[in-house]
Amino acid sequence: VLATAGLAGGFSMAQAVGAFMVCAGLIILVGATGWFERVMNRIPMAIASALLAGVLARFGLNAFAAAQTALPLVLCMLGSYLLAKRWLPRYAVVITLTVAIFYVAANHELASASIHLELAKPVYTAPSFSWAAVTSLSLPLFVVTMASQNLPGVAAIRTAGYSMPISKLITITGLATLVLAPFGAFGLCLSSITAAICLGPEAHADKDRRYTGAVVCGLIYVLIGVFGASVTGLLTAFPKELIAAIAGLALLGTIANGLATALSHEPHREAALITFLVTLSGVSIAGIGSAFWGVLAGSLALVLVQWRRCPT
C-alpha cells in the first residue's frame, strides 16, 4: 500500500526503487547491530504468542464470515476438514482444498478467467535517490516492515518453540531487499502466516523435520513467481469465499496453540489478552498496523500491573 501510494503521490519508479534500497539499508542496520533482537528478547512469550494469535485470528474469522455469502461451500469445506483431521490429519488442508475445488466446479461456480501460460520477466530500474522519497517512503516502509511484519514473524518462530538467530535473519532480508529492489522487490520480510503453517505440527510430527515444509513452500513461491500471470488468472477463477475459508481452516491449529500459550501463565494472562484483542481489532494508527499496537498495549499493561508488585 505504501509503495502504491508513493507512486501515486508523484514519485517516479526510479525514486521508489531508491527509497526501497534506503529502507533495506535501515533493515540491515537494525539486524547487524542486534537492536531488533534485543527488543524481541524483552517481550514475554505470552505477549508474543498473543500477538501471533491476534494476527492469525482475523483469517479464522474471515473463514466463517464467508458463510454469509457461500454457506453450502463453507459447510462442505468445514465438514471435509473435520473428517480429514479425524482420519488423515496431516493432509487435512490439502483434502479440504481438493474437495472445495471439485464442489465449485460441479456447481459451475468457477468464474471465467483468462489463463495464459507465460513466464514473468524481470525488469531492471536504475535507482534515483531523493530526500522527499526517503522521508515519504523509506522511513514509513521501514517502520511498517519491522513492526507489522518482522515482529509477528519472530513471534511465530518463537511460539513454535524454535530458537533462531534473529539478527542474522533480519540482516539477510535486508540484503535480499537491497539486491532485488531494482527489480521491484520492496518488502522482503519474515512471514508470520506462512511460518505459522510451516512450523506447526501439521508440517511434521518431528520438530527437526519441519524445515521440509518451508523448503517446499519456497519452491512453490518460485513457481508462482515464474508463472505469476498464469497463477493470478487461475486464482481469480475461484470464489473469494473459497480462498478465505481455506486460509482460515489452515491456521486453526496455530491460532489455538498461540492462545493456549498466551493464556497459560496466569500473571501474564490479562496483558496477553489485551495484546490479542488489540491485534485482532485491526486498528491502524499513523500507518502502523495493529500488530505493533497490540504488543505495545500488552507490554504497557504488563508493566503497570507487575511493576513493583509486592508478593502476597
Side-chain angles (χ1 to χ4, degrees):
V1 174
L2 280 172
T4 304
L7 293 174
F11 295 106
S12 66
M13 187 62 189
Q15 290 175 314
V17 168
F20 300 157
M21 296 180 72
V22 172
C23 175
L26 294 174
I27 293 174
I28 293 172
L29 176 64
V30 298
T33 57
W35 293 342
F36 180 70
E37 185 170 7
R38 284 196 288 272
V39 171
M40 290 301 303
N41 288 340
R42 299 184 67 85
I43 298 177
M45 180 57 67
I47 301 294
S49 299
L51 164 66
L52 178 63
V55 170
L56 302 182
R58 291 200 297 271
F59 293 89
L61 290 174
N62 290 338
F64 294 101
Q68 291 182 341
T69 53
L71 180 59
L73 172 62
V74 174
L75 289 178
C76 176
M77 293 179 68
L78 179 59
S80 301
Y81 175 80
L82 294 175
L83 290 174
K85 287 290 288 186
R86 173 65 178 85
W87 302 106
L88 294 168
R90 189 172 183 181
Y91 304 100
V93 176
V94 175
I95 293 173
T96 303
L97 178 59
T98 303
V99 170
I101 293 174
F102 276 108
Y103 178 89
V104 296
N107 287 275
H108 307 289
E109 295 179 9
L110 287 174
S112 58
S114 178
I115 302 174
H116 303 286
L117 186 62
E118 57 179 306
L119 299 178
K121 299 177 182 178
V123 177
Y124 175 79
T125 301
S128 174
F129 299 93
S130 71
W131 181 248
V134 169
T135 55
S136 299
L137 290 179
S138 299
L139 296 180
L141 183 60
F142 167 71
V143 173
V144 169
T145 300
M146 299 304 298
S148 301
Q149 303 297 328
N150 287 331
L151 185 64
V154 173
I157 294 173
R158 293 187 169 177
T159 300
Y162 291 92
S163 178
M164 303 292 288
I166 301 302
S167 294
K168 292 181 179 179
L169 292 177
I170 296 298
T171 304
I172 290 173
T173 63
L175 289 171
T177 302
L178 185 65
V179 172
L180 297 176
F183 299 96
F186 58 85
L188 299 179
C189 56
L190 302 181
S191 172
S192 58
I193 299 171
T194 307
I197 296 174
C198 293
L199 296 178
E202 294 84 1
H204 202 285
D206 186 355
K207 288 180 60 176
D208 295 332
R209 300 284 301 277
R210 292 176 190 171
Y211 70 90
T212 55
V215 171
V216 173
C217 180
L219 292 175
I220 294 174
Y221 278 164
V222 171
L223 290 176
I224 292 175
V226 172
F227 299 99
S230 303
V231 173
T232 301
L234 179 62
L235 290 177
T236 56
F238 295 135
K240 63 181 185 299
E241 292 86 357
L242 186 153
I243 304 299
I246 195 64
L249 292 174
L251 292 167
L252 285 181
T254 306
I255 297 170
N257 291 335
L259 282 175
T261 302
L263 302 178
S264 62
H265 188 48
E266 186 173 354
H268 294 171
R269 185 173 297 167
E270 193 166 30
L273 184 59
I274 291 173
T275 301
F276 171 75
L277 292 175
V278 173
T279 304
L280 179 61
S281 72
V283 62
S284 179
I285 302 174
I288 303 176
S290 61
F292 172 79
W293 300 115
V295 170
L296 182 61
S299 299
L300 288 175
L302 186 62
V303 170
L304 290 174
V305 172
Q306 298 291 333
W307 186 55
R308 292 186 178 179
R309 168 178 280 185
C310 297
T312 56

